Amino acid sequence: MRVLVIPDVHLKPWMFEQAAVLMREKKADRAVCLMDIPDDWGKEYDIALYEQTYDAAIDFAKEFPETAWCYGNHDLSYLWHRLESGYSSMAAYTVQRKLLDLRDALPENNPIRYVQKIDNVLFSHGGVLDYFAESVVPKSNYHDVEAVVAAINELGPNEMWNDASPIWLRPQHSNMRLYKTKELLQVVGHTPMNMITKEGNLISCDVFSTYQNGKPIGTEEFLLMDTETWECSGIHGCKRG
């Protein structure tokens, strides 16, 4: 399956507009969004931008209902009332309301999850550590990837709000082993990158984040990948403005 990955959004509604064009052009069969939809440098009071970004996400979800959505730490900070860098108390009600609208826009059998599995590829905001997988299932179920993913997706804030969880992990900065490195490919956002990078069984694709002055850190490309062959490339959307 050809998958288009929308990485961390951070109040850039145009990312959904560009991704929609690529989907309409049949560049991919399905999209995956790694979320972190709210919050960006100096935007705490721009409630209209929060509204606009969520409306773009909801429109995308309705047009492409097969899209898989993965919670990020910034999304969950508003649902779980956990303060996070960039958290906007002014926008809190808007984010909570719009997240519920996004949930309602999705098919019942395709809810937002921490981890999404397509073929032998795991998509999550930060990544799934081997030891984290071991901690959520009995030893006898460790090799059952579906059971591990299902168990992770049932966890709550007490288990997930830490640096080792799939919403917070930064495997690019750690030598800790990811879950089933010989069998699974993992695709993550969360950690800003200069370019889409593949190291071992990890693809990092948060290339839309910006510096504090608004300058892009990365190439602003979407990851386009084949979940069976693991072949991947970057693809630009239409130019803005």
Side-chain angles (χ1 to χ4, degrees), residues 22-211:
L22 293 172
M23 292 298 292
R24 293 178 197 128
E25 292 175 347
K26 308 298 182 184
K27 300 294 186 183
D29 305 303
R30 186 178 183 186
V32 175
C33 182
L34 304 180
M35 295 185 66
D36 260 8
I37 295 173
D39 305 336
D40 201 8
W41 301 106
K43 299 292 195 301
E44 292 87 351
Y45 299 101
D46 193 347
I47 310 305
L49 183 58
Y50 280 80
E51 293 259 5
Q52 182 185 357
T53 307
Y54 274 101
D55 286 343
I58 292 164
D59 288 345
F60 188 90
K62 290 178 178 178
E63 185 172 356
F64 307 102
E66 294 296 312
T67 300
W69 300 79
C70 302
Y71 279 121
N73 52 301
H74 282 265
D75 309 291
L76 291 166
S77 70
Y78 289 92
L79 294 182
W80 292 345
H81 307 287
R82 306 282 178 116
L83 292 182
E84 160 64 302
S85 61
Y87 180 96
S88 171
S89 58
M90 295 292 295
Y93 173 73
T94 297
V95 173
Q96 292 162 4
R97 175 171 55 85
K98 288 295 187 178
L99 269 172
L100 292 177
D101 290 345
L102 176 58
R103 283 177 174 178
D104 290 342
L106 302 179
E108 190 173 332
N109 64 348
N110 185 29
I112 306 174
R113 296 184 169 100
Y114 308 126
V115 183
Q116 299 276 4
K117 179 179 179 292
I118 302 176
D119 296 324
N120 284 330
V121 182
L122 298 185
F123 299 87
S124 65
H125 190 66
V128 181
L129 279 176
D130 187 65
Y131 107 85
F132 193 88
E134 286 182 328
S135 73
V136 299
V137 294
K139 190 173 182 179
S140 59
N141 285 350
Y142 168 81
H143 294 291
D144 185 340
V145 179
E146 301 286 352
V148 168
V149 170
I152 291 173
N153 284 327
E154 291 296 322
L155 299 177
N158 290 337
E159 299 88 0
M160 293 295 290
W161 202 258
N162 66 80
D163 289 345
S165 86
I167 64 169
W168 271 107
L169 182 67
R170 296 190 190 275
Q172 304 86 353
H173 301 161
S174 169
N175 292 322
M176 300 179 76
R177 190 158 68 97
L178 294 173
Y179 178 51
K180 299 184 86 63
T181 55
K182 294 181 180 180
E183 301 174 32
L184 298 172
L185 180 67
Q186 295 204 39
V187 176
V188 304
H190 186 48
T191 300
M193 307 293 290
N194 293 323
M195 63 182 65
I196 295 171
T197 305
K198 185 176 186 294
E199 294 185 0
N201 74 320
L202 177 73
I203 297 179
S204 304
C205 63
D206 176 13
V207 293
F208 284 84
S209 288
T210 65
Y211 295 103

Side-chain angles (χ1 to χ4, degrees), residues 198-230:
K198 185 176 186 294
E199 294 185 0
N201 74 320
L202 177 73
I203 297 179
S204 304
C205 63
D206 176 13
V207 293
F208 284 84
S209 288
T210 65
Y211 295 103
Q212 193 165 357
N213 63 5
K215 181 181 177 181
I217 293 172
T219 56
E220 295 190 335
E221 294 174 284
F222 298 98
L223 171 66
L224 185 63
M225 68 169 302
D226 187 312
T227 56
E228 294 182 358
T229 66
W230 294 3

